[in-house]
């Protein structure tokens, strides 16, 4: 896992969700692919995100609990791990600490 992305463009306008509990920036690569780099602040309740394309969420720092789609069970993910969410789906995520992530948009 690389610590940085080289030769990219960054969209200056931030993506702000849930009243500022999640903030990200879109990174565009020369081959047309996109990723978002973001932070989720500690939450009291799970945040629900809708997906349009398949996403792989890579946890950079912190840990979180995630429920994908209609799953009844949440799974714990820590720094260095990732989880996959199908396109046209959703996931719920919660954390007790600052969570840094990279969302790899795979569609």
């Amino acid at each position: 896992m690389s610590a940085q992305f080289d030769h990219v463009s960054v969209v200056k306008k931030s993506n702000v969700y849930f009243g500022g509990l999640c903030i990200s920036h879109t990174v565009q690569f020369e081959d047309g692919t996109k990723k978002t780099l973001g932070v989720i602040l500690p939450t009291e309740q799970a945040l629900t995100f809708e997906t349009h394309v398949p996403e792989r969420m890579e946890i950079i720092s912190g840990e979180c609990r995630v429920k994908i789609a209609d799953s009844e069970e949440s799974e714990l993910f820590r720094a260095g791990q990732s989880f996959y969410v199908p396109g046209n789906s959703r996931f719920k995520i919660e954390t007790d600490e600052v969570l840094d992530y990279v969302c790899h948009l795979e569609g």
Side-chain angles (χ1 to χ4, degrees):
M1 178 176 10
S2 177
Q4 69 183 38
F5 295 121
D6 296 322
H7 310 288
V8 298
S9 298
V10 177
V11 177
K12 292 192 263 183
K13 174 86 172 99
S14 60
N15 307 302
V16 180
Y17 305 97
F18 305 103
L21 289 174
C22 178
I23 300 173
S24 68
H25 282 87
T26 302
V27 178
Q28 299 174 330
F29 291 77
E30 292 175 338
D31 66 0
T33 59
K34 295 181 183 180
K35 301 180 187 309
T36 59
L37 303 175
V39 173
I40 297 176
L41 299 178
T43 59
E44 292 182 15
Q45 295 183 329
L47 306 178
T48 301
F49 288 88
E50 304 280 330
T51 64
H52 300 288
V53 299
E55 299 179 3
R56 184 173 53 86
M57 294 287 290
E58 176 186 355
I59 308 305
I60 304 303
S61 69
E63 65 179 36
C64 58
R65 291 168 303 284
V66 177
K67 287 184 185 180
I68 298 172
D70 294 325
S71 174
E72 294 295 321
E73 298 291 322
S74 64
E75 192 172 344
L76 181 67
F77 294 93
R78 295 186 169 99
Q81 296 180 309
S82 63
F83 61 91
Y84 177 81
V85 183
N88 299 312
S89 186
R90 69 181 176 285
F91 67 96
K92 294 182 179 186
I93 186 168
E94 58 186 313
T95 182
D96 296 327
E97 58 190 293
V98 174
L99 182 80
D100 287 295
Y101 68 88
V102 176
C103 177
H104 302 266
L105 302 170
E106 299 188 344

